[in-house]
Amino acid sequence: MEKKVTVRDIVKKKGREKIVAITAYDYVTTRIVDQAGVDIILVGDSVGMVVHGLPSTIPVTMDMMLLHVESAARARPRALLVGDMPFLSYETSIEDAVYNAGLMLKKGAEAVKIEGGSEVADVVKAMVRAGIPVMGHIGLTPQRHLLIGGYRKRGVRKPEAEKIIEDAKELEKAGVFSIVIEFTAADVAEEVTREVSVPTICIGSGPSCDGQILVLHDILGLSEQTPPFAKKYADLKTIILDAVSRYAKEVREGVFPGREHSFYSEAYNSREG
Ligand code: KIV
């Protein structure tokens, strides 16, 4: 078996090797993406929209995340398994935040991710003090889409760009081991990558980061709505549609199940001959 990827391995990759991260939400897909050799598997709260059909990530609960983390962890991936902290699991108090992050670890996550910059620095510090590795998430923070004016590009104007760079530095000081930068101007993400010593992992924020992350269902062509920065590497929707349509046709025409998918009693065989 290949060596397990640890938080330390991820940090050491900065400036040496690109980090490949992807989401997965369950046992089956975690096994497959892990076989593909990714470095980080994120059980993202995007599961709420992608799998459960919710309108945003705001309704996602700890119970949902714990179930998905537990399922993904059963695949015992070689990649580092990160559990995403859902909305309201780390904002109400530092005690709640540490407790909820601890529950993620108890279900098999090896680190947690939280959204926000300087405003969550104290939360990050407390989690790290408790022995919980934390991944930051700045730029577009979907759990705050109501506050920040929707799912819009970030860091285009100077004050916002400066705030993103400041946030990254605060998170680094607080102890995160890596930072996701979402839907942010590529030059700003590049500046953050230069300014912090921990790896930056980008989604829709250009090529200069230390790594990239995408949502699995987006790259497989299974998402209802795909963000403009996602690249579709396969069209599984068409493949599934075709397979299920052929199955339905064969059942209706009496072609499936054939003899090879059936078994018969001895009495039947003796009647046959
Ligand atoms: O929930 C998620 O999938 C994420 C990634 C898009 C970074 O936070």
Side-chain angles (χ1 to χ4, degrees):
M1 201 180 111
E2 273 191 279
K3 190 182 157 289
K4 179 85 185 100
V5 179
T6 64
V7 162
R8 207 159 156 258
D9 295 328
I10 297 298
V11 175
K12 281 201 294 197
K13 284 185 193 287
K14 178 152 183 121
R16 292 189 187 160
E17 261 180 76
K18 288 279 186 187
I19 298 164
V20 182
I22 194 150
T23 63
Y25 311 122
D26 59 25
Y27 173 78
V28 173
T29 53
T30 299
R31 273 176 60 119
I32 297 170
V33 301
D34 197 51
Q35 266 181 37
V38 300
D39 302 303
I40 298 176
I41 299 171
L42 171 70
V43 184
D45 67 347
S46 52
V47 68
M49 299 172 78
V50 172
V51 171
H52 295 273
L54 292 168
S56 77
T57 54
I58 288 180
V60 175
T61 62
M62 269 303 289
D63 283 348
M64 285 167 75
M65 291 310 301
L66 291 176
L67 193 67
H68 285 286
V69 165
E70 195 174 17
S71 173
R74 272 191 210 114
R76 301 169 68 85
R78 176 193 152 273
L80 184 76
L81 189 69
V82 180
D84 212 358
M85 300 292 290
F87 178 63
L88 235 48
S89 67
Y90 56 94
E91 296 91 336
T92 46
S93 71
I94 288 189
E95 290 74 21
D96 286 353
V98 174
Y99 182 76
N100 285 324
L103 292 182
M104 290 280 197
L105 263 53
K106 282 177 186 284
K107 294 293 184 189
E110 296 158 316
V112 300
K113 175 170 82 59
I114 66 173
E115 295 185 9
S118 53
E119 68 280 13
V120 296
D122 284 347
V123 172
V124 172
K125 280 184 201 159
M127 287 177 176
V128 172
R129 246 194 328 268
I132 301 167
V134 185
M135 175 184 268
H137 183 157
I138 56 175
L140 173 62
T141 45
Q143 291 173 14
R144 288 159 197 253
H145 74 276
L146 296 170
L147 187 72
I148 63 180
Y151 300 93
R152 60 177 181 81
K153 293 176 184 146
R154 308 291 290 175
V156 179
R157 291 177 197 278
K158 200 165 174 213
E160 201 171 85
E162 286 173 348
K163 168 85 170 93
I164 290 169
I165 295 165
E166 226 16 73
D167 278 341
K169 289 180 183 169
E170 288 286 321
L171 288 175
E172 181 190 17
K173 253 193 271 165
V176 297
F177 74 91
S178 62
I179 303 174
V180 167
I181 309 176
E182 183 164 353
F183 211 16
T184 295
D187 45 347
V188 177
E190 186 175 351
E191 175 77 5
V192 171
T193 303
R194 249 195 321 269
E195 291 286 327
V196 296
S197 63
V198 293
T200 55
I201 299 172
C202 286
I203 173 158
S205 306
S208 303
C209 303
D210 299 303
Q212 297 289 327
I213 182 162
L214 282 176
V215 168
L216 178 66
H217 291 61
D218 291 344
I219 77 167
L220 297 182
L222 286 173
S223 301
E224 254 177 6
Q225 281 179 340
T226 311
F229 48 76
K231 182 169 173 184
K232 194 159 123 182
Y233 285 85
D235 187 2
L236 284 202
K237 185 183 166 196
T238 303
I239 292 173
I240 294 171
L241 250 174
D242 176 60
V244 178
S245 303
R246 284 194 292 122
Y247 160 65
K249 184 169 181 284
E250 288 194 0
V251 169
R252 290 187 181 117
E253 290 173 353
V255 174
F256 178 85
R259 285 188 73 89
E260 71 278 28
H261 301 112
S262 311
F263 68 96
Y264 298 90
S265 69
E266 281 172 21
Y268 175 89
N269 282 330
S270 62
R271 269 206 312 277
E272 283 277 287

